Amino acid sequence: MANDWWKNAVIYQIYPRSFRDSNGDGIGDLQGIISRLDYLQTLGVDAIWLSPVYESPNVDYGYDVSDHRAISKDYGTMTDMEELIFEANRYGIKVILDIVYNHTSDQHRWFLEARRSKKSRYRDYYHWRPGTSDGPPTDWVSAYNTSAWELDEQTGEYYLHMNSRRQIDLNWENPDVIREVEDMMTYWVRKGVSGFRIDQLGHINKKKSLPSYEEFANKHADPHFKIIKDEGAHPYIRQLNEAIFSKYGMMTVGESTSSTPEEALLYTDPDRKEVNMIFSSEHLQAKEKEKKQTDASDVIKLKKVMEKWQKTLENKGWNTLFWCNHDEPRIVSRYGNDREYRAESAKMLAATLHMMKGTPYIYQGEELGMTNPVFDSIDEFRDSKSLTEFQQRYFEGNEEKSKILEGLNETTRDNARTPMQWSDAENGGFTDGTPWIKLNGNYSHVNAEQAVMDPDSVFWFYQKLIQIRKTHPIVTEGTFDLLEREHPSLFVYTRRFENKLLLVISQFGEGEAIFDLRQQNLSIKSGELLLANYPADQTLPEESIRLRPYETRIYLCGQ
Ligand code: NOJ
């Protein structure tokens, strides 16, 4: 097996809690995943990435790990996990595990020991500091918009948590921490996994001197990210690469949402021996999450961001291609139209992304064109971040409830976490029990059973995109060029490889638009239409192409 199998692969992300419940407790589980491997094989994906299934008090649903080598009872047993890895491999599907190494749960044995006494051998696994006359050691703010320091009453010192109060940052300057992480990764390598998705990849190095935001603010536009995202992480990642990733041929993808393409190169340039690729979400920020309508400036910004990433990583490093994950609202509700043009816009978005250079990731339900649900009251939310935000804005900020809910409906991570819609049966066929989070009511007509039966569904469109990638090396190898950079709604690009040209034309919007081939000096006469999301006219246009609302077309031609 070539070590860079992931360059030509498509990876499917599973959020196990919401995928498929096999035992009726309302929570998705490992046996549920095993029961749907045939569905994933039909779709054609090469690997699944599982969001964390380790033991966890679920403050952040698994991203607060209390034992890295134990499976949470919510999801099953270690035997189920071994069975999943074995069965998935039998279906030709590799398993990628989520590694959370920046922090542990406050219920992790190391932290329970560490907080017992200043003399504990685990004390130095975390960051402890005495307070100052103002309280916390520094003015650092957590991702939950609170102080990043929490006072531990028993020992009188503060501990650092850049996420929730119950996710405590590990101290990577302590060689024992690195050794523990290496051992834990080796444990999973031995279980037969093929790679790792690494949570908060570059946040592990904390500045020793603990500079204040104020000190930093003079020098950097965003002191928060400057502090957590530190170049000092690179040597640690290289050390892991040598000890684990390269040694065992693991595929690696790191989460690094705020990275620039230049920073991405530092992580992914193969000569630097760190990770294979990273997830940055710059393209998702082209339009503000709260904003409902996508306008021309958003489309132009999106194109330019995509172009910058494609170009910077064209010859060195490697891109991830993704629209969705468990932290982001559904893409069809964001850049598409999740009502009148749900299927058209879901397909258009998929084609636009999948024909670029990089490894595509599909997040569960994206292949069905799943949409954001409507959350009517705060009781329907499960995401700790949204619940904290509500508390802060309602009780401390005295904002109106309806206004906060309106905002949260657009931004909440729960948008991605409603259960997978398998059929039009009760609870969308997700569970026989009471689902841990509400379903999106549209499961009556947006569901896997119907999609698999309908050759024109979003599901089969994704399947075809995967097949195109597998059949035509140009998708993996070709150079990328953006056309129509300033056009308000057309997203057009070419890929070129050997003597072939791939042309992707997408209309981001409800109006019509004309793409002028002659003006671009392009001829597709000798080509073929590989895929389109409207009934296709097989005669190849010579002069121009009129695109209907959210239309997309992929042409392959000789050059
Ligand atoms: C990124 C994960 O994707 C997110 O779900 C989690 O809350 C944070 N990292 C903290 O682990």
Side-chain angles (χ1 to χ4, degrees), residues 173-234:
E173 272 163 47
N174 179 348
D176 287 341
V177 167
I178 310 176
R179 189 185 39 77
E180 299 266 18
V181 170
E182 286 179 5
D183 286 354
M184 174 262 281
M185 285 180 166
T186 310
Y187 174 83
W188 285 109
V189 169
R190 298 222 165 97
K191 293 265 178 218
V193 304
S194 302
F196 300 120
R197 177 268 187 191
I198 302 168
D199 193 67
Q200 304 195 327
L201 174 74
H203 294 186
I204 46 182
N205 190 56
K206 303 290 152 22
K207 299 237 176 333
K208 246 196 199 145
S209 63
L210 302 186
S212 72
Y213 277 10
E214 231 168 287
E215 267 171 67
F216 256 75
N218 305 327
K219 294 187 224 135
H220 303 285
D222 189 338
H224 178 71
F225 276 114
K226 192 60 208 167
I227 280 171
I228 59 175
K229 191 181 70 174
D230 191 90
E231 303 85 41
H234 290 291

Side-chain angles (χ1 to χ4, degrees), residues 60 63 100 103 144 163 167 197 199-200 255 326-327 385 413 417:
D60 194 17
Y63 286 94
V100 189
H103 46 270
Y144 284 65
N163 292 280
Q167 291 163 293
R197 177 268 187 191
D199 193 67
Q200 304 195 327
E255 185 214 22
H326 62 291
D327 293 333
K385 252 191 188 161
R413 304 192 294 182
R417 299 177 182 183

Side-chain angles (χ1 to χ4, degrees), residues 22 43 63 109 122 185 196 210 226 345 353 490 550:
S22 73
L43 181 60
Y63 286 94
R109 183 174 55 88
Y122 290 99
M185 285 180 166
F196 300 120
L210 302 186
K226 192 60 208 167
S345 58
L353 187 78
L490 282 179
Y550 296 107

